[in-house]
Amino acid sequence: MAFWSTNDVEPKRNFRFQVQITGLSDLGAPTDILWWAKTVSTPSFDVTEVEHNYLDNKFYFPGRVSWNEVNLTLVDPISVDAVQLTNKLLEKSGYVVKANEFSLKTMSKVKATATAIKGMKITIMNAEGFPIEEWTLNNVFIKSAKYGDLDYSNDDLRTVEMTVRYDWATCDNDDTQFEPQ
């Protein structure tokens, strides 16, 4: 039965979500929840295939799972500076502006996933604010950031576009209703 033929079923809505990056409050943000997140792509994956030829037939077998990048668009507020937080995450990942040729520190996965972004969750909520689906990204690090374009003829809000990479994701969407945060 389709959801529009009954009044006791509601579809998930694209505008009921929140993004949480654990560790932002350590960098000066008032909370780990990105209330300034404008858009976020949910995790997705691809499965490679292995082809096997036997006589005059071809058979296909599933191969490796590869998780795709997640893209975020953040509004850049003044009071919680998204540009400054993004730069701090990059520094916590181990990036150092080279003062001279003897500066040998560099980025590492350990620093990026344990010190900078300690965890990332994307939560989809129902109309009452209860989580109904929660994606947890594991071993997350920033892959790219774009600090927006400035334009005198445009009165849109300034945004920061960020791409994050992760090793795998899990989804919790059982029938248990959580308390709203």
Side-chain angles (χ1 to χ4, degrees), residues 5-166:
S5 63
T6 180
N7 64 357
D8 62 346
V9 177
E10 183 179 351
K12 295 176 184 174
R13 306 292 293 263
N14 284 334
F15 63 88
R16 294 183 185 140
F17 72 95
Q18 70 181 18
V19 179
Q20 179 180 3
I21 296 179
T22 306
L24 283 184
S25 56
D26 299 341
L27 302 175
T31 179
D32 287 339
I33 295 174
L34 299 176
W35 57 265
W36 56 91
K38 186 175 178 181
T39 65
V40 64
S41 58
T42 52
S44 62
F45 63 87
D46 294 318
V47 178
T48 62
E49 62 184 32
V50 178
E51 181 181 301
H52 178 71
N53 296 313
Y54 181 69
L55 299 174
D56 64 343
N57 296 303
K58 288 187 178 189
F59 297 93
Y60 296 93
F61 296 91
R64 294 184 173 115
V65 174
S66 175
W67 289 90
N68 299 318
E69 302 165 343
V70 166
N71 298 300
L72 295 102
T73 302
L74 309 172
V75 174
D76 186 16
I78 294 173
S79 61
V80 177
D81 193 342
V83 170
Q84 182 183 25
L85 283 175
T86 304
N87 288 338
K88 284 182 178 181
L89 285 173
L90 186 62
E91 290 172 4
K92 282 284 203 182
S93 298
Y95 178 76
V96 177
V97 176
K98 303 297 180 206
N100 56 46
E101 66 273 12
F102 302 110
S103 298
L104 302 177
K105 291 184 181 179
T106 186
M107 296 179 71
S108 72
K109 185 163 184 172
V110 172
K111 291 178 188 173
T113 60
T115 307
I117 300 177
K118 297 175 183 171
M120 184 171 173
K121 291 186 180 189
I122 301 167
T123 306
I124 294 124
M125 297 172 283
N126 64 12
E128 287 77 37
F130 292 104
I132 54 175
E133 182 177 301
E134 185 171 77
W135 287 94
T136 302
L137 282 63
N138 298 285
N139 297 333
V140 184
F141 63 92
I142 296 176
K143 182 177 176 187
S144 68
K146 182 180 178 195
Y147 295 121
D149 298 322
L150 304 176
D151 182 358
Y152 281 117
S153 65
N154 186 340
D155 61 353
D156 290 341
L157 300 174
R158 183 174 181 212
T159 59
V160 174
E161 295 174 18
M162 185 185 306
T163 301
V164 296
R165 176 58 88 179
Y166 55 100

